[in-house]
Amino acid sequence: MAYNTLTMEIAELSHQPVSRCFQCQKCSLGCPVAEEMDYLPHQVVDLINKNLTEKLIGSNASWICVSCKTCVQRCPNGIDIGAIHDALKNIHFQQKLPVGVKAVADFYESFLDTVYDYGRAYELGMIVKHKLKTKNFTQDMKMGLQMFLKGKIKIAPHKINKIWEVKNLFSSVKGSE
Amino acid sequence: MKTGYYPGCSLHSTATEYNESVLAVVKAINDEVKEIEDWNCCGATAGHSTSAELALGLPLRNLMLAEKEGFEELLVPCAACYNLFKTAQFEVAHGQKQDLVADLEHQLGLTYQNKINVLNFIEYVLKPENIEKIKKLIKRPLGGIKVAAYYGCLLLRPHNVVGFDNPERPTKMEKLLEALGASPVRWSAKNECCGGSQALSKPELVVRLVNNIVTNARDNEAELIVTACPLCQANLDGRQINWDFPDQNKQLLPVLYISELIGYALGLPAEKWFAKHLVPPSLKA
């Protein structure tokens, strides 16, 4: 069977022995967030094996995944489904495909923007950016405010000295500057 | 043994009490750790979700800097950073992404050996010489207080990468708690996920997972929960006080860092750490 480009890209990025999967569904049974996914973990592997990966474009599964690695731990065939979800998310970002859960993609971007700017995550900057993107200002207000009042959220960012060494790592994401 | 220290971004902001209590315990047992100079963010979930280069490159730069400073071991208290450091070491050991490794080596001017022993805080404390000292220094035995040891995901999984404890039935934190005079409870949610990085992006999902964990700890008569992860602590502690948390009228469970509990048992001043918690710890500081 000739595999389509997307299937090949997933295989290349994730390096997973998907053909060993015998659909025991242990991954999906242990997944703490499976009930919110349109394709369950074992179904994602099945779609790759059947070369039907176009169904995974815009699927919410990769974006719901919490990277808890329970599926990886329990797979009797050593398939890291987390790595497959990472590969799918990487491809969505690279090729600007429609993402399954926009709030999650926005959060990754807000987080990494601060790492790109300072070399370290800057939570306040990230929260402000994320709130502006999602326009959801009341969510988690009580918790956020309490954390702020307890001095758990740093006001000023810390920029590392050799910031260019970190920026270089972003060349594949942002292009070189 | 020259030990490096990688606090990570959380320990410098939302988890300052973790940072301070870890360093206080290290000092109390007369050991020394030195922070890696000019360290950067490990990238966390956002990094490995966005690009393979960031997934390896961000943690690897820190490991290389640590090697350059001549550290033989590296203490990484944040479970998320710890997991990504271990993953980076695993990938390099298996010859993956060699171009990226070579690029970073060139940029930092070194030949990377991939030899540093990366330790989480529980591993560090359970080193025979450290736990012996801690046992001798206990000033406030915990008097059988019932504690739920919460491991979460990233300290344990996948076992072939982190190799820390039994991934389905971990017991190392319980051993430590017993040494401090606490009574660890038996409970089934100790290695369940708290929702981690979805805290801001899918809070309703985090609320469901946290409720499951806290309820299970309470059903097994725990008086408090201990953790070794800033994401777990923030989710378990913060979610309980937010308006969208179910069972508002139930007793709230304090969520301490394991280092705070050790520091407390050693008689170190814990008020400043406890003051950072949203659910106030019931221990008399």
Side-chain angles (χ1 to χ4, degrees):
Chain A
M1 176 162 59
Y3 287 104
N4 68 41
T5 322
L6 180 59
T7 305
M8 295 301 284
E9 284 170 340
I10 296 168
E12 210 170 288
L13 265 171
S14 66
H15 301 286
Q16 293 309 308
V18 284
S19 61
R20 289 189 200 156
C21 174
F22 43 55
Q23 292 287 300
C24 70
Q25 308 188 12
K26 245 181 137 174
C27 50
S28 298
L29 289 167
C31 176
V33 291
E35 64 187 67
E36 313 204 15
M37 291 175 165
D38 48 10
Y39 291 107
L40 301 178
H42 74 282
Q43 292 172 322
V44 170
V45 178
D46 196 39
L47 288 175
I48 297 171
N49 280 325
K50 291 179 175 153
N51 195 27
L52 295 170
T53 43
E54 67 279 1
K55 287 184 193 270
L56 295 170
I57 298 174
S59 150
N60 72 8
S62 309
W63 308 89
I64 299 277
C65 169
V66 276
S67 306
C68 74
K69 312 197 189 216
T70 308
C71 54
V72 187
Q73 185 63 54
R74 294 182 182 169
C75 176
N77 294 309
I79 302 168
D80 183 341
I81 300 172
I84 293 171
H85 280 315
D86 277 349
L88 274 161
K89 286 185 278 190
N90 291 359
I91 292 164
H92 274 77
F93 279 121
Q94 273 167 19
Q95 303 178 13
K96 302 195 166 40
L97 300 171
V99 300
V101 186
K102 194 170 173 299
V104 177
D106 283 347
F107 169 72
Y108 294 156
E109 278 180 342
S110 306
F111 183 97
L112 287 179
D113 280 352
T114 71
V115 177
Y116 182 78
D117 288 341
Y118 306 111
R120 293 184 190 170
Y122 169 45
E123 275 144 344
L124 186 59
M126 171 181 95
I127 292 165
V128 170
K129 266 187 191 170
H130 185 70
K131 290 282 171 198
L132 288 173
K133 268 185 192 162
T134 56
K135 303 204 167 43
N136 187 344
F137 298 101
T138 50
Q139 184 150 50
D140 309 330
M141 263 314 270
K142 186 175 174 193
M143 185 175 95
L145 199 65
Q146 289 266 348
M147 289 180 78
F148 188 79
L149 292 172
K150 294 258 176 192
K152 284 181 122 323
I153 294 173
K154 220 162 61 165
I155 308 291
H158 172 98
K159 193 172 185 171
I160 69 167
N161 295 327
K162 295 183 177 170
I163 184 71
W164 62 90
E165 293 183 352
V166 167
K167 285 197 197 281
N168 277 345
L169 293 169
F170 278 81
S171 55
S172 66
V173 182
K174 293 186 178 260
S176 41
E177 287 182 13
Chain B
M1 178 81 70
K2 220 180 145 196
T3 309
Y5 183 59
Y6 178 85
C9 307
S10 291
L11 275 78
H12 275 200
S13 57
T14 52
T16 47
E17 70 273 33
Y18 193 20
N19 192 40
E20 285 166 18
S21 54
V22 163
L23 293 174
V25 170
V26 169
K27 196 175 163 201
I29 60 171
N30 225 349
D31 197 14
E32 227 178 306
V33 295
K34 187 182 167 291
E35 193 164 316
I36 303 173
E37 269 175 51
D38 211 36
W39 57 267
N40 59 268
C41 171
C42 74
T45 310
H48 64 74
S49 297
T50 303
S51 102
E53 285 77 19
L54 293 177
L56 178 62
L58 289 169
L60 190 57
R61 178 177 178 272
N62 295 308
L63 286 166
M64 286 188 177
L65 291 177
E67 225 174 70
K68 211 172 177 176
E69 286 196 56
F71 298 127
E72 293 153 79
E73 57 178 28
L74 185 65
L75 171 58
V76 185
C78 170
C81 305
Y82 167 77
N83 192 287
L84 284 181
F85 280 30
K86 285 284 198 179
T87 304
Q89 288 188 316
F90 185 85
E91 288 192 351
V92 173
H94 288 78
Q96 294 172 23
K97 302 175 194 158
Q98 289 173 357
D99 294 352
L100 180 63
V101 179
D103 275 356
L104 262 176
E105 280 182 325
H106 176 71
Q107 193 171 309
L108 301 177
L110 54 78
T111 310
Y112 181 59
Q113 306 290 325
N114 205 28
K115 278 199 316 215
I116 292 185
N117 189 17
V118 174
L119 300 173
N120 64 50
F121 185 65
I122 302 160
E123 283 174 310
Y124 170 81
V125 168
L126 285 177
K127 279 166 64 176
E129 65 270 32
N130 292 346
I131 188 70
E132 283 316 310
K133 274 191 227 163
I134 286 176
K135 280 184 191 161
K136 280 184 199 141
L137 289 169
I138 291 176
K139 296 208 176 68
R140 269 192 291 217
L142 296 176
I145 183 171
K146 289 180 184 158
V147 183
Y150 177 59
Y151 294 81
C153 311
L154 297 172
L155 288 174
L156 300 173
R157 295 186 288 265
H159 187 258
N160 64 331
V161 175
V162 291
F164 164 55
D165 203 344
N166 183 320
E168 299 289 359
R169 220 166 283 161
T171 53
K172 288 195 172 162
M173 232 190 305
E174 277 87 346
K175 278 185 197 128
L176 181 49
L177 289 168
E178 277 167 4
L180 301 175
S183 305
V185 302
R186 286 170 67 99
W187 66 312
S188 56
K190 61 165 117 168
N191 58 347
E192 296 287 337
C193 180
C194 73
S197 58
Q198 302 279 31
L200 282 173
S201 42
K202 281 199 72 65
E204 68 289 355
L205 179 152
V206 175
V207 170
R208 174 166 68 78
L209 297 179
V210 169
N211 185 38
N212 173 42
I213 294 162
V214 173
T215 305
N216 189 261
R218 197 189 289 122
D219 288 350
N220 289 288
E221 297 178 347
E223 296 163 71
L224 60 90
I225 299 175
V226 284
T227 168
C229 173
L231 287 165
C232 300
Q233 202 281 340
N235 282 337
L236 261 57
D237 187 30
R239 283 293 151 197
Q240 287 187 73
I241 66 129
N242 209 39
W243 53 266
D244 54 357
F245 198 71
D247 296 336
Q248 291 278 344
N249 47 1
K250 289 240 177 90
Q251 174 88 41
L252 301 180
L253 274 188
V255 187
L256 292 180
Y257 289 107
I258 183 75
S259 50
E260 292 180 284
L261 204 59
I262 299 172
Y264 177 83
L266 296 183
L268 303 175
E271 300 86 347
K272 230 175 72 189
W273 313 330
F274 289 177
K276 294 273 180 185
H277 289 248
L278 304 191
V279 177
S282 39
L283 297 167
K284 292 247 173 328

